[in-house]
Amino acid sequence: MQKQDSKPRIIALLSGPDRPGLVAKVAGWIYERGGNVFHADQHQDGQAGIFFQRVEWDSANDPKTEAAEFAAFANNELGMTTEVALSSDRPRVAIFVSKIEHCFHDTILRFKANELPGEIATVVSNHETLGNVTKQYGLPFHHVPVSAATKAEAEKRQIEIVKEAKADLVVMARYMQVLSDDFLKDVGCPVINIHHSFLPAFAGGKPYHQAYNRGVKIIGATAHYATADLDEGPIIAQDVSRVTHRHGPQDLVRRGKDLEKNVFAQAIRWHLEHRILVYNNKTVVFD
Amino acid sequence: MQKQDSKPRIIALLSGPDRPGLVAKVAGWIYERGGNVFHADQHQDGQAGIFFQRVEWDSANDPKTEAAEFAAFANNELGMTTEVALSSDRPRVAIFVSKIEHCFHDTILRFKANELPGEIATVVSNHETLGNVTKQYGLPFHHVPVSAATKAEAEKRQIEIVKEAKADLVVMARYMQVLSDDFLKDVGCPVINIHHSFLPAFAGGKPYHQAYNRGVKIIGATAHYATADLDEGPIIAQDVSRVTHRHGPQDLVRRGKDLEKNVFAQAIRWHLEHRILVYNNKTVVFD
Amino acid sequence: MQKQDSKPRIIALLSGPDRPGLVAKVAGWIYERGGNVFHADQHQDGQAGIFFQRVEWDSANDPKTEAAEFAAFANNELGMTTEVALSSDRPRVAIFVSKIEHCFHDTILRFKANELPGEIATVVSNHETLGNVTKQYGLPFHHVPVSAATKAEAEKRQIEIVKEAKADLVVMARYMQVLSDDFLKDVGCPVINIHHSFLPAFAGGKPYHQAYNRGVKIIGATAHYATADLDEGPIIAQDVSRVTHRHGPQDLVRRGKDLEKNVFAQAIRWHLEHRILVYNNKTVVFD
Amino acid sequence: MQKQDSKPRIIALLSGPDRPGLVAKVAGWIYERGGNVFHADQHQDGQAGIFFQRVEWDSANDPKTEAAEFAAFANNELGMTTEVALSSDRPRVAIFVSKIEHCFHDTILRFKANELPGEIATVVSNHETLGNVTKQYGLPFHHVPVSAATKAEAEKRQIEIVKEAKADLVVMARYMQVLSDDFLKDVGCPVINIHHSFLPAFAGGKPYHQAYNRGVKIIGATAHYATADLDEGPIIAQDVSRVTHRHGPQDLVRRGKDLEKNVFAQAIRWHLEHRILVYNNKTVVFD
């Protein structure tokens, strides 16, 4: 999955009504124009009658032009919804955070270590707590306080910041505010959230306390795309950890942090690598 | 955890209001009478103010008498709810099953291979399907048909069978009927159920289909004590397995079977080894 | 992954020197002849310069003829080593077993429950222990005693049995004899073994005792193709389980059994579903 | 497992020849002096004839004095090797690091977030790379270059630094030098190392490349106490992650980092919470 080539690869994500010959037509188009498929994976949901494909290839031509022409071909001739990208793209990510900082640090350090293929565009918080450390990391920090009375106003300001920062993705690194339906519609890019439970179990607040009270023997974390229905968006990644009667709520919180960091990073990586397609409130992840 | 001694060990499970000196008093009582503690584990729920202990020891005296005297001591002098057993006891287990047979075979083979410390007392089914193979295993089989109209009658008959078989435990090996509150009250022994989801997610019917529709990335199975609230009883053991968008409902069913077998066996083992204490609809498992 | 169609699908496994256009040519060949790709997955080992593909499709023509023609095409025109099969094939499996019976029962019950797509052709054992229960399962049983002196002779007899049974695969269900290089050459079909450790750790005998002595915190099981180098063959599947200082060697043995059963079944399933390609003593598994 | 009391708890770790009455004597001593056991766990290695115990209690008396008196009692009257500590102790930790920085950042951030009960005493590196960021964290940094010719000298300097920093523990956060037998003897405190494989598989250098070449389906990480035999010390914690044929060596490296961080932190936590006893090159971990 590594690529150190000087020339960028083209990555396309297609989805649409399934019909015979799609794989052949996509592969044929690429081959006839001198391209070389490096990776291709597809999936059919037989019940829903939908075809999904991710294809990654080296083109003999200018990658940017070729990508645009492929998109036109896939849209017009195959009837597919198509997203194309270059492996050299560096998507820009806006981090939303409150005071809880483990996902915040972990995400930033992964970007800095080139574990995540993109750039941090900006950091937005409803508290000032993490302002100084954000600046130490050399990143812009925007403090946008949020209260019930000012929420609509605050979200407008957040959207401005995201757009000025040219962010392609918003990630909620344990951001403790619910984003409104309007925000999600207007922000113009996907939003990934990390929920600190194994959804759909323990949606809502204080999930580790809920888990403790129910006496489960395994806890989890779930990364999902944010939707208007809180904690109901398409699930991208989940992980779990065993617990026993000895673990109190605070132990679950602590152990959950490790899950949250890894699951959140996994979801961000998959998104930035153009591996995720969403349909019927579910995800296809071409891992 | 193995014991090949000719002389049985005594195993006690205690629970009750926490207060200083309980560990010392239990250990002291055993030591003064020439016993040797082989294993001891305890737990305090600080919030609830409850003390739990499992202690396993070799007694210098007749184990049966000593066990009874310990129970009297723990009840009367320590104010503890106490259950005592000998490692040589072979608890008797009634298996309830319908037509789905993976947990049925797995459980029986584990008893036959001495992986589970007890005896199968009887097999009860609402279908005749598994009658012949039960007899091939050399086990008694009781067919008790259940319909909405006959359920109360059928449960009475089931209770008679359990009691005649002198069963100490009922295990529902994917038994597809809900046991009524009356059954649970009158059967006179604990009932362990295996639910084919990671509870509390996907309680109720067709949990693998629910999981498929929600698009989760991990499925699970849960063994719990049956209570009047369906799928709400104290959780004993859980296990999980990763799935992807490629897995349809039938794949989840197939993969779930492996989870169900292992989780069910784990719960039965822990129960038969006297490792489980129940309180506040949760379990303490002294593993 | 389920298929209930009356018409069988064609499944092809290809491998060979990588070059541009392989995906397009395979997909094009199928499409031009009216086939519909149901599933396709491929992999390139960039360093080794090898291309691997599994493709599964519905053909408009007679599947058997079409499969043969595809094989000719892939061999002659693409230069690929090719294996073709129909989804309706029921590969025949010979089970080798000694006295340890958990993998034996588990494998047979999975075949009987249609969890594994094939037929048990025969059971071969160096002991008589499992003869009666094999017959109860309605399966042929061959007792072939093996001693140092008679090993060569015994292996000849085993090969005869495998060939008479028309087995396509031999699986060693904790068969406690090493199969000689000659056996593996002459038996004419692949052999899958289950090793009771997380290879390459603890190769050789008594791996759970080795694991106990080394004080590892996780134990494992490994299914691999048998090769002349004992425990060194290509790994197909592995699974692990956590252990603590409380687990003695016998506990590791018991817990390992669950791993062995599941890992062994997983490897057999993948093989029978034509999902595995072997190269450089490793496996590509198109799961 | 949390304690917010103003008065510190006493924690004792005992080990020595097993004999009847040890549990009773320890519990009795504490109870007679007005102490209240908060947590106690013990283990017997029957084969080796060794008794292990961890006991944590609130004392009615001055904790420091009581701890010293308990140590004298356990040593002299019970013949146990005993280590006592107070829950208020803040053990001091020296971090050794080279250039690879994920464990370095992760460990420091966990200490800063109070996830690990202790203080970072100093950072020692054979490279200058992480000097600035160490100072940004507000921590002392010592650059001690190491070459084959200067190793003995360098280790003397390292020991001076550890002792001046009054460190109670050295942790090798992917420190890429082997510490000599002399260093381990003279440094005067335990040393925890993180090895980037599932030991004993793939000891030595480049373990992820070894794992890739062997074609394993699961990779791991192992935290252990450093001993003169490289990668052979007592294992404290291990964790694993599934991989497929799609993962190249660099993918294994990346995925392994998450394992290394969590396993390393787990081992450090257990050590700092006085949960680990070492014997026969193995660990007892009272989790």
Side-chain angles (χ1 to χ4, degrees):
Chain A
M1 293 175 190
Q2 309 99 272
K3 45 228 143 145
Q4 283 98 2
D5 317 328
S6 49
K7 196 170 181 185
R9 291 219 176 92
I10 305 169
I11 301 161
L13 281 174
L14 298 85
S15 61
D18 194 14
R19 56 195 170 94
L22 289 171
V23 171
K25 282 171 184 163
V26 167
W29 191 93
I30 292 169
Y31 177 55
E32 280 159 25
R33 299 166 67 100
N36 190 21
V37 170
F38 171 73
H39 184 71
D41 200 356
Q42 70 273 348
H43 176 64
Q44 284 103 319
D45 184 322
Q47 272 183 287
I50 311 180
F51 172 86
F52 306 90
Q53 189 175 32
R54 182 186 189 272
V55 58
E56 186 173 344
W57 73 96
D58 290 319
S59 169
N61 310 318
D62 171 63
K64 212 163 177 177
T65 315
E66 194 81 351
E69 292 188 16
F70 180 83
F73 159 75
N75 291 336
N76 301 336
E77 297 190 33
L78 304 183
M80 293 282 124
T81 303
T82 312
E83 178 194 333
V84 288
L86 301 188
S87 61
S88 56
D89 292 347
R90 301 288 286 172
R92 295 173 64 74
V93 178
I95 300 178
F96 278 40
V97 68
S98 293
K99 291 176 176 175
I100 297 173
E101 58 190 306
H102 57 286
C103 286
F104 164 82
H105 288 297
D106 189 73
T107 305
I108 291 174
L109 287 167
R110 287 176 193 265
F111 273 105
K112 286 188 173 291
N114 282 318
E115 281 185 45
L116 293 172
E119 309 282 353
I120 301 175
T122 190
V123 175
V124 177
S125 181
N126 56 331
H127 294 282
E128 295 196 65
T129 319
L130 297 172
N132 282 335
V133 67
T134 301
K135 285 165 198 160
Q136 272 194 328
Y137 279 127
L139 296 169
F141 181 84
H142 296 274
H143 177 217
V144 183
V146 179
S147 68
T150 66
K151 177 150 183 171
E153 203 59 37
E155 289 196 338
K156 272 187 199 150
R157 177 68 195 119
Q158 290 169 337
I159 290 175
E160 277 174 20
I161 295 166
V162 169
K163 296 202 163 169
E164 278 162 20
K166 296 190 168 57
D168 304 295
L169 176 70
V170 169
V171 300
M172 300 168 73
R174 298 295 311 276
Y175 179 67
M176 305 301 278
Q177 298 283 328
V178 177
L179 297 174
S180 74
D181 202 1
D182 281 345
F183 178 95
L184 295 169
K185 274 184 200 139
D186 296 342
V187 71
C189 69
V191 177
I192 291 177
N193 185 37
I194 176 75
H195 185 78
H196 39 316
S197 89
F198 182 74
L199 288 175
F202 311 127
K206 292 207 163 260
Y208 292 124
H209 290 75
Q210 291 183 53
Y212 174 77
N213 289 332
R214 180 61 186 91
V216 291
K217 301 301 188 187
I218 291 177
I219 58 166
T222 304
H224 63 93
Y225 287 112
T227 57
D229 291 323
L230 185 65
D231 302 333
E232 294 287 335
I235 292 171
I236 305 169
Q238 299 189 291
D239 201 6
V240 293
S241 180
R242 294 189 174 277
V243 295
T244 75
H245 60 273
R246 298 203 186 286
H247 295 98
Q250 292 312 311
D251 298 303
L252 303 192
V253 168
R254 176 176 57 71
R255 291 169 67 95
K257 284 180 175 180
D258 289 355
L259 298 174
E260 294 163 33
K261 288 187 288 188
N262 291 349
V263 166
F264 192 49
Q266 179 69 279
I268 296 172
R269 169 191 317 287
W270 279 336
H271 182 90
L272 296 181
E273 293 180 349
H274 313 283
R275 298 188 177 279
I276 312 177
L277 281 158
V278 173
Y279 81 112
N280 290 357
N281 205 42
K282 303 200 287 190
T283 60
V284 170
V285 179
F286 288 121
D287 183 18
Chain B
M1 293 176 192
Q2 308 98 272
K3 46 233 142 143
Q4 282 100 0
D5 318 329
S6 50
K7 195 171 182 185
R9 292 221 174 88
I10 305 169
I11 301 162
L13 281 173
L14 298 85
S15 61
D18 195 14
R19 56 192 170 95
L22 289 170
V23 171
K25 281 171 184 165
V26 167
W29 190 94
I30 293 168
Y31 177 55
E32 279 160 25
R33 300 165 68 101
N36 189 22
V37 171
F38 171 73
H39 183 72
D41 200 355
Q42 70 273 348
H43 176 65
Q44 284 103 320
D45 184 321
Q47 272 183 288
I50 311 180
F51 173 87
F52 307 89
Q53 189 175 33
R54 182 186 190 272
V55 58
E56 186 171 343
W57 74 97
D58 290 319
S59 170
N61 311 319
D62 172 62
K64 212 164 177 177
T65 315
E66 194 79 350
E69 292 189 16
F70 179 83
F73 159 75
N75 292 336
N76 302 336
E77 296 190 35
L78 304 183
M80 293 282 124
T81 303
T82 312
E83 177 195 332
V84 288
L86 301 187
S87 60
S88 55
D89 292 347
R90 301 288 286 172
R92 295 173 63 76
V93 178
I95 300 178
F96 278 41
V97 69
S98 293
K99 291 176 175 175
I100 297 173
E101 58 190 304
H102 58 285
C103 285
F104 163 82
H105 288 296
D106 189 73
T107 306
I108 291 174
L109 287 167
R110 286 176 194 265
F111 273 105
K112 287 189 174 290
N114 281 318
E115 282 185 44
L116 293 172
E119 309 283 353
I120 301 175
T122 190
V123 175
V124 177
S125 182
N126 55 331
H127 295 281
E128 296 196 62
T129 319
L130 297 173
N132 282 336
V133 66
T134 303
K135 284 165 200 158
Q136 271 194 327
Y137 280 126
L139 295 170
F141 181 85
H142 296 273
H143 177 217
V144 184
V146 179
S147 68
T150 65
K151 178 152 184 170
E153 203 58 37
E155 288 196 340
K156 272 187 200 149
R157 177 71 194 116
Q158 290 169 337
I159 290 174
E160 279 174 19
I161 296 166
V162 169
K163 295 201 166 171
E164 279 163 20
K166 295 190 171 56
D168 304 295
L169 176 70
V170 169
V171 300
M172 301 168 72
R174 298 293 313 275
Y175 179 67
M176 305 303 276
Q177 298 284 326
V178 177
L179 296 174
S180 74
D181 202 2
D182 281 345
F183 179 94
L184 294 170
K185 274 186 201 137
D186 296 342
V187 71
C189 68
V191 176
I192 291 177
N193 185 37
I194 176 75
H195 185 77
H196 39 319
S197 88
F198 182 70
L199 287 175
F202 312 128
K206 291 206 163 261
Y208 293 123
H209 291 75
Q210 291 183 53
Y212 174 76
N213 289 332
R214 181 61 187 92
V216 291
K217 301 301 186 185
I218 292 176
I219 57 166
T222 304
H224 64 93
Y225 287 112
T227 57
D229 291 322
L230 185 64
D231 302 333
E232 295 287 334
I235 293 171
I236 304 168
Q238 301 187 290
D239 201 5
V240 293
S241 180
R242 293 189 175 277
V243 296
T244 75
H245 60 271
R246 297 203 187 286
H247 296 98
Q250 291 313 311
D251 298 303
L252 303 193
V253 167
R254 176 176 57 70
R255 292 168 66 95
K257 284 180 176 179
D258 289 355
L259 297 175
E260 294 162 33
K261 289 187 288 189
N262 290 349
V263 166
F264 193 49
Q266 178 69 277
I268 296 171
R269 170 193 317 287
W270 279 335
H271 182 90
L272 296 180
E273 291 180 350
H274 313 285
R275 298 187 176 280
I276 312 177
L277 280 159
V278 174
Y279 81 112
N280 290 359
N281 206 42
K282 303 201 287 189
T283 60
V284 170
V285 180
F286 289 120
D287 183 17
Chain C
M1 292 176 192
Q2 308 97 272
K3 46 232 141 141
Q4 282 100 0
D5 317 328
S6 50
K7 195 169 182 188
R9 292 220 174 90
I10 305 169
I11 301 161
L13 281 173
L14 298 86
S15 62
D18 194 13
R19 56 193 171 94
L22 289 170
V23 172
K25 282 171 183 164
V26 167
W29 190 93
I30 293 168
Y31 177 55
E32 280 159 26
R33 301 166 67 102
N36 190 21
V37 171
F38 171 74
H39 184 71
D41 200 355
Q42 70 272 349
H43 176 64
Q44 285 104 320
D45 184 322
Q47 272 183 289
I50 311 179
F51 173 87
F52 307 89
Q53 189 175 33
R54 181 185 190 274
V55 57
E56 186 172 343
W57 74 97
D58 290 320
S59 169
N61 310 318
D62 172 62
K64 212 163 177 177
T65 315
E66 193 80 349
E69 292 188 18
F70 180 83
F73 159 74
N75 291 336
N76 302 335
E77 296 189 35
L78 305 183
M80 294 282 123
T81 303
T82 312
E83 177 195 333
V84 288
L86 301 187
S87 61
S88 55
D89 292 347
R90 300 289 286 172
R92 295 174 62 77
V93 178
I95 299 178
F96 278 40
V97 68
S98 294
K99 291 176 176 174
I100 297 173
E101 58 190 304
H102 58 286
C103 284
F104 163 82
H105 287 297
D106 189 73
T107 305
I108 291 174
L109 287 167
R110 287 176 193 265
F111 274 105
K112 288 189 173 290
N114 281 318
E115 281 185 45
L116 294 172
E119 308 283 353
I120 301 175
T122 190
V123 174
V124 177
S125 181
N126 56 330
H127 294 282
E128 296 197 63
T129 319
L130 298 173
N132 281 336
V133 67
T134 302
K135 285 165 200 159
Q136 271 193 328
Y137 280 126
L139 296 170
F141 181 84
H142 296 274
H143 177 218
V144 184
V146 180
S147 68
T150 65
K151 177 152 184 169
E153 203 58 37
E155 288 196 339
K156 271 187 200 150
R157 177 70 194 117
Q158 290 170 336
I159 290 175
E160 279 174 17
I161 295 166
V162 169
K163 296 200 165 170
E164 279 163 19
K166 295 191 171 58
D168 304 294
L169 176 70
V170 170
V171 300
M172 301 168 72
R174 298 294 313 275
Y175 179 65
M176 305 302 277
Q177 298 284 326
V178 177
L179 297 175
S180 75
D181 201 2
D182 281 345
F183 178 95
L184 294 170
K185 274 185 200 138
D186 296 342
V187 71
C189 70
V191 177
I192 291 177
N193 184 38
I194 176 75
H195 185 78
H196 39 319
S197 88
F198 182 72
L199 287 175
F202 312 127
K206 292 207 164 259
Y208 292 123
H209 290 76
Q210 290 183 54
Y212 174 76
N213 289 331
R214 180 61 186 91
V216 290
K217 300 301 187 185
I218 291 176
I219 58 167
T222 304
H224 63 93
Y225 287 112
T227 56
D229 291 323
L230 184 65
D231 301 334
E232 295 287 335
I235 292 170
I236 303 168
Q238 301 189 290
D239 201 5
V240 293
S241 180
R242 293 189 175 278
V243 294
T244 74
H245 60 271
R246 297 203 188 285
H247 296 98
Q250 291 313 311
D251 298 304
L252 303 193
V253 168
R254 176 176 57 71
R255 291 169 67 95
K257 285 179 175 179
D258 289 355
L259 298 175
E260 294 163 33
K261 289 186 288 189
N262 290 349
V263 166
F264 192 50
Q266 179 69 279
I268 295 171
R269 169 192 316 287
W270 279 335
H271 182 90
L272 297 180
E273 291 180 351
H274 314 284
R275 298 186 177 280
I276 313 177
L277 280 158
V278 174
Y279 81 113
N280 289 358
N281 205 42
K282 302 200 287 189
T283 60
V284 170
V285 179
F286 288 120
D287 182 18
Chain D
M1 293 175 191
Q2 308 99 270
K3 46 236 141 140
Q4 282 99 359
D5 317 329
S6 49
K7 195 171 180 185
R9 292 219 175 91
I10 304 169
I11 301 161
L13 282 173
L14 298 85
S15 61
D18 194 15
R19 58 194 170 92
L22 289 171
V23 171
K25 282 171 184 165
V26 167
W29 191 93
I30 293 168
Y31 177 55
E32 280 159 25
R33 301 165 67 102
N36 189 22
V37 171
F38 172 74
H39 183 72
D41 199 357
Q42 70 273 348
H43 175 65
Q44 284 102 319
D45 183 323
Q47 272 183 287
I50 311 181
F51 172 87
F52 306 89
Q53 189 175 32
R54 181 185 189 274
V55 59
E56 186 173 343
W57 74 97
D58 290 318
S59 170
N61 310 319
D62 172 63
K64 211 163 178 177
T65 315
E66 194 80 350
E69 291 188 17
F70 179 83
F73 159 74
N75 291 335
N76 301 337
E77 297 190 34
L78 305 183
M80 293 282 125
T81 302
T82 311
E83 178 196 331
V84 288
L86 301 189
S87 61
S88 55
D89 293 347
R90 301 288 285 173
R92 295 172 64 75
V93 177
I95 299 179
F96 278 40
V97 68
S98 294
K99 291 175 175 176
I100 297 173
E101 57 190 306
H102 57 287
C103 285
F104 164 82
H105 287 297
D106 190 73
T107 305
I108 291 175
L109 287 167
R110 287 176 194 265
F111 274 105
K112 286 189 173 290
N114 282 317
E115 281 185 45
L116 293 172
E119 309 282 352
I120 301 175
T122 191
V123 175
V124 177
S125 181
N126 55 331
H127 295 282
E128 295 196 64
T129 319
L130 297 173
N132 282 335
V133 66
T134 302
K135 284 165 199 161
Q136 272 193 328
Y137 279 127
L139 295 170
F141 181 84
H142 296 274
H143 177 218
V144 183
V146 179
S147 67
T150 65
K151 177 150 184 170
E153 202 59 36
E155 287 196 339
K156 271 186 198 150
R157 177 69 194 118
Q158 290 169 336
I159 290 175
E160 278 174 20
I161 296 166
V162 170
K163 296 202 164 169
E164 279 162 20
K166 296 190 168 60
D168 304 295
L169 176 70
V170 169
V171 301
M172 300 168 73
R174 297 295 312 275
Y175 179 66
M176 305 302 277
Q177 298 283 328
V178 177
L179 296 174
S180 74
D181 202 1
D182 280 347
F183 178 94
L184 295 169
K185 273 184 200 138
D186 296 343
V187 71
C189 69
V191 177
I192 291 177
N193 185 37
I194 176 74
H195 185 79
H196 39 317
S197 89
F198 182 72
L199 288 175
F202 311 126
K206 292 205 162 262
Y208 291 124
H209 290 75
Q210 293 183 52
Y212 174 78
N213 289 331
R214 180 62 187 91
V216 290
K217 301 301 187 187
I218 291 176
I219 57 166
T222 304
H224 63 93
Y225 286 113
T227 57
D229 292 323
L230 185 65
D231 301 334
E232 294 287 336
I235 292 171
I236 304 168
Q238 301 189 291
D239 201 5
V240 293
S241 180
R242 293 189 175 277
V243 295
T244 75
H245 60 273
R246 297 204 187 284
H247 296 98
Q250 292 312 311
D251 298 304
L252 303 193
V253 167
R254 175 176 58 72
R255 291 169 67 95
K257 284 180 176 181
D258 288 355
L259 298 175
E260 294 163 33
K261 288 186 288 189
N262 290 349
V263 166
F264 192 50
Q266 179 70 278
I268 296 172
R269 169 191 318 286
W270 279 336
H271 181 90
L272 296 181
E273 291 181 349
H274 314 284
R275 298 188 177 279
I276 313 176
L277 280 158
V278 174
Y279 81 112
N280 290 357
N281 205 43
K282 303 200 288 189
T283 60
V284 170
V285 179
F286 288 120
D287 183 18

